[in-house]
Amino acid sequence: MNKRITQKLGIMGLSVSIGSAVMFTSLLSPAFASGVNEPVSAVPDVQKRINKIEEMPNLPQPYEMKNWKQTARQYDQFVFDFTKQGTFLPVGWWDKTHTNMQEDTFGLMSYVGKFSQGNDGSQEAINMMAAVLSATLVGIDKSNQNGKNYVKMLQTFYNKDNGENVILNNPNTVSGQTFWYEILPHVLFYALDSYYPDVDNMDAIMRSTADKWASAVQELGGKYGQADFNYTAYKFYRTEPFNNEQWTEPDAAAGVAMLEYMAYAKFKDAKYLQAAQLSMDFLQRQKDNPLYEVLLYFAPYMAARMNAEQAQSFDVDKMINWVFDGGSAVRDGWGTMTGKWGGYDADGLLGSLKDNGGYAFAMNTFSAFGALAPVVRYDPRYARDIGKWMLNAANQSRLFYADALPPDHQSGSDWQGDPQHVIPYEGLRKEMKGKTPYASGDPTVSGWGNTDFSLYSGSYAGFLGGLIDTTNVEGILKIDTLKTDYFHEDAYPTYLYYNPYKEAKSLDVTGIGSAPVDLFDSVSGHVLAASVTNQATITLAGDSAAVIVVVPAGKAIESSAKGLSAGGVFVAPLARPAINIRDLQAGQTVSGALPVTLEAAVPVNKKIKQVTITFADQEIYKGSEIPSPLQLDTKKFPNGFQQLQVDLEASNGQRDTAQMQLFVRNEGGTSILTADPAQMAAWTPISVMKGKGELKDGKVVVTETNDDGAYGGIASPAFKLDFSRQSFLIVDVDSASPEWTLQLHVKSEKWGLYIKPDGPETGHFVFDVMKELRRLRPDLPYLGVQDVELWLVAADKEGAQASFGGIDMFYQDEPVWKEKEWKAPQGAEAIANWIPLASMKGAAVKADDVALIREDNLLDRGGVGSPFMSVDLQRDPALDVNIAQASNEWSLMIYVKGKNEGVEVQAPTSQLGKKSYKLKDLVYEAYPQLDPKQPVDLQLWMLAQGDNKANVGIKSVKLSYGRNTHAKWLYIDIVALLVAAAMIASFMIRSRKTRGK
């Protein structure tokens, strides 16, 4: 039963705990409580912090907000005029090939003057669909514009003529190339269906393709209870995932969740909800940032919305920080820019953080607006930081356009075809040609286009123009949170406002209509103005945000388990606790005593029940208060990446978590290889591609001097590296002209192995060496200890140069399990969490009471490995396995850390059932040099083999010491005790006899 709130809106209140002091904030407005209908003040409360946004200014400088609605409308007018004349014009054409449809369609260039485009079939969905949606968001009806139905024309991307029956990036192509180019067109198409449901065949295409993606989620592991998106793409014509062995795109899970949840919201079919939940569950399980491209931007929105609507508990905090932080495990260095580039704030732009010190992309930045704006409807705790980011990003995004920078700070100032400057450059580089910033793109740099002006970027400008409006206060924006909240339930108009100033500001809320309304702020829980019409004035406190819901006057705010509503319409979620880690950034290098500042809040009339703080998986605090001061002694923990996590539980059972990965580097840690610039300058020329190193201004400058090509560099002294252990390499790169690369040379080989491919990126790099080696060469043959050199190479032209600071390389091993951790049988759930083998990759999922292991290796033999376990071979260890099923054959190996190969315990077989193995003799036979007095660290390898879909199902694995071992020693101990007892008794008898004499 709903609880009617009449006198008090405390359900949305927060009590704030900073340090050990607790302050309760009253969110009851005296004016509203007394029934006086007049504007009242919003109260600033503790909000959830987005780490990277803490580095941004509240008010960017210079402040020059572009008229985004006008820009988007003028862009539409320009690119859809196929009669334009001039150099590289028009940028669109009519396509009459009738591919996948009976009607004519159209095409748009992805770049102005792109060499390989302009012919029928070369058009891209991510460009054209965005252009139509963008125009729609700024009020243009694209289903009937000058008699043309551009929405209908987009059905050319529904590839039915070739039998695929999915929406792809080109009119005649196949799936299975790259997730993001195949999922984003579906998301855009579904979004268009939310605006144009009456256009013929839109619903049918949406439903049929949602069916296909729901089935794909099942084939990605959903049928076993856990989907796995660690692939490059999905091949619908083979109904199987695809890995190109070069990169993976795990953030596809966010895109699939988005399109499947849209399908569920529209059609109410439970299988779509299941697919969305399985996709989000994959993201929830990830410890590493999975960002590859724009699809991850949908993750925070999906997490927040599904938490509110489906009572889920997805980690919004983790996912939204993934978007901004820049610590992607699959595409290092992609995130959000901060700081000044020249005299311009670059804060908030999204792209590569390391390409020439920073390379922001317009398309990424623009599309993020649409994905993140609705988050605050479902989780108002993020209102302040999302509002602050949007203010920065909207202001800085003008720099993508030619009229925002001097001519010598851009690559295409000589092209005069766009006098209104409505087509942006693809990107903005921090530095190029000695200028900072520099607007350009990939076409002219890579030589495949005449200009860097990018339609596929400009087509997303409507995500700013449709959502953003200015107010009577310069610097305070009105942001529409509903326009990209596709297929939402009934809702009242909802707007986000952020005040970047230190002081409170009086703000006019306009466009609220002639019928009386109440302005409810879901951030503070206040009604800020009651029974107002047309326009109202509210006061917004400094550096705070409000999410204003325009509720018909007189409708009471009611509370239920589903949240707050008015007249049966969702208004806001229930208040939730918040915990923040302040003043630290993800990936930050820390050492010594680290002060940690925490900020916490719980709903009004609730208390903090428990706070738990862990670092490197070790609990360092548990209590009912925030410890203050809190100092973390990082010297007590191993060097390398370590997770700081704070879990808060409120007295009502609600929970919140803040987490951050930090890089611990204390002096005195064991290094594999370390060198400062002076030492590196003494390294020798690489024998097969010579270069030289010279010490200049505290850096080592590597110069290519190779007579046989444009690659040359220097080699470190030889050292030993264990390929079975996780090793990290820290490298600081000051400059590159034009490019540099980093390689590991195994002494028995002629050429090196890439750790980092050729590129111009500069900055501070931390490489997971083995991960990068195997990503770039999946068939890497090495295991165990090898003699190697590190090669620093200047690349891509004669006389190329690159400048480096110091380097440091060290191991970071996962903890080795002791007997108390491995002695219990490992069932299906535990085995499903074993890691893919580096040399024979596979994957595992839990299917009922079985761990299903499938091979995912080029050689059709692959599997997973257990954690390393410390085992005393003298105690005669035995291994028991229970095999439930096998599609082909399975095998079992053990690997001793540091060795060059594994030991076969079970040869390939198809036999099922329980099997037992003695390990002692097998290991000693394979490694006779092992010291029998020392335990060994070994890993179990479970392998499936036979074809590219081979799998094996395992019920349990148990490692134990031989039964007779303990009995033998127990027998010896008992005998010894009996002998000792007899001796004592004999002595006592003799003593008595002596005393009796």
Side-chain angles (χ1 to χ4, degrees), residues 176-178 230-233 242-250 292 329-332 754-755 757 770-779 841 856 858:
Q177 300 178 63
T178 166
N230 285 303
Y231 295 95
T232 310
F242 170 70
N243 191 331
N244 67 3
E245 306 297 343
Q246 297 178 56
W247 73 83
T248 58
E249 303 180 19
Y292 180 77
V330 294
R331 202 171 191 181
D332 185 45
Y754 276 100
I755 298 173
M770 292 304 140
K771 183 176 181 179
E772 291 304 304
L773 288 176
R774 297 189 190 282
R775 180 178 70 85
L776 297 166
R777 185 175 172 181
D779 61 342
K841 187 178 178 183
D856 190 18
L858 291 173

Side-chain angles (χ1 to χ4, degrees), residues 144-158:
N144 185 15
Q145 186 180 31
N146 301 320
K148 303 292 185 183
N149 189 341
Y150 292 99
V151 180
K152 172 72 172 175
M153 294 179 194
L154 295 173
Q155 294 178 20
T156 189
F157 294 105
Y158 177 60

Side-chain angles (χ1 to χ4, degrees), residues 568-587:
V569 175
F570 174 83
V571 169
L574 296 177
R576 295 182 58 197
I579 183 76
N580 295 312
I581 301 170
R582 300 295 306 272
D583 305 325
L584 292 171
Q585 288 296 320

Side-chain angles (χ1 to χ4, degrees), residues 116 122 211 229 310 377 397 549 573 587 595 625 663 710 720 789 809 813 916 929 937 970:
S116 62
S122 65
D211 287 345
F229 287 85
Q310 305 301 327
R377 279 201 71 218
S397 287
V549 186
E625 294 183 345
F663 191 78
K720 293 187 180 297
E789 299 171 330
M809 191 174 187
D813 295 316
S916 298
Q929 73 280 16
D937 294 343
L970 180 61

Side-chain angles (χ1 to χ4, degrees), residues 313-329:
S313 55
F314 295 123
D315 193 338
V316 180
D317 185 76
K318 176 176 74 173
M319 296 177 195
I320 202 164
N321 279 291
W322 277 345
V323 170
F324 292 102
D325 276 345
S328 172

